[in-house]
Structure formats: structure tokens, C-alpha cells
Amino acid sequence: QVQLVESGGGLVQAGGSLRLSCAASRRTFSVSAMGWFRQAPGKEREFVAAISRSGSSTIYADSVKGRFTISRDNAKNTVYLQMNSLKHGDTAVYYCAAGPTSYSDYGTYRYWGQGTQVTVSS
């Protein structure tokens, strides 16, 4: 089974920061680009950020560019999402995803975590 486990969500004030982590199996992580998506209540899941297999390339949604940073630690089989300057509109369940044909091909991610709630108060 492919398992992705997110952690690090919580409640934070607007302007604050959170760091999300996603732990994956070594087998999955070593061969996969990784991405973060989010879903707010009543909304469709949207792309947030992605990182290539090697970690050399990243891409961000316009809404988070300059505030969020995706990174990966291949030794720990973990991908991170550092979220700074959080806004109320960032409130959502954040999902880790793996297994795309390309890190930037948003529609091809095959494996998903259970999600972690991020709530930004105003």
C-alpha cells in the first residue's frame, strides 16, 4: 500500500506560520515527485505547490507564491510545506500527493494522504 501521512496542521493567526510535513514510504518517495493540494469547505481541491523528484524544480499556485515554500528531504522520505504570512483564505484541509507523470502535471497525481487541517483566524 502507498501511504502518505500529513502532519503539522493547526490553528494560527493571520500573518503567522505553519510547517506541514508529509511522510511517505521510501519506495514511493524515492521515485516520485511530490505535491501539496488543499480543499476548503464547499470548494474543489486546488493545487498549491509541487516539487520534482530531485528537488531541483518547484512550482507554486499564484495565490501562495512568495509565501509558501515546498521542499523535500530524501533521506527522511519527507516533503514539507513551509507556510508564512498565512491568510484567512488559506484555511483548508491540506493534502500531500504523489505519483504524477510530472511534478507540474496537476491532474496526474495518483496517491493521496488523509489531509491535515489548517485554520487561519482573522
Side-chain angles (χ1 to χ4, degrees), residues 24-104:
S25 66
R26 181 188 61 78
R27 184 176 180 180
T28 298
F29 193 84
S30 65
V31 301
S32 180
M34 303 291 293
W36 287 96
F37 295 73
R38 67 187 183 185
Q39 187 169 23
K43 305 293 184 181
E44 293 185 353
R45 187 174 298 183
E46 66 174 342
F47 169 77
V48 176
I51 188 166
S52 64
R53 179 178 172 179
S54 68
S56 62
S57 299
T58 58
I59 189 169
Y60 299 91
D62 288 342
S63 60
V64 306
K65 194 171 185 178
R67 300 188 297 121
F68 291 10
T69 302
I70 188 170
S71 62
R72 65 189 295 160
D73 186 337
N74 291 346
K76 296 181 178 179
N77 302 320
T78 302
V79 63
Y80 304 95
L81 185 68
Q82 178 67 47
M83 305 185 294
N84 298 327
S85 301
L86 283 162
K87 306 174 180 178
H88 182 67
D90 295 320
T91 296
V93 176
Y94 284 71
Y95 297 91
C96 179
T101 57
S102 172
Y103 78 103
S104 61

Side-chain angles (χ1 to χ4, degrees), residues 95-115:
Y95 297 91
C96 179
T101 57
S102 172
Y103 78 103
S104 61
D105 196 345
Y106 313 143
T108 65
Y109 283 83
R110 295 177 290 168
Y111 310 115
W112 300 85
Q114 292 298 116

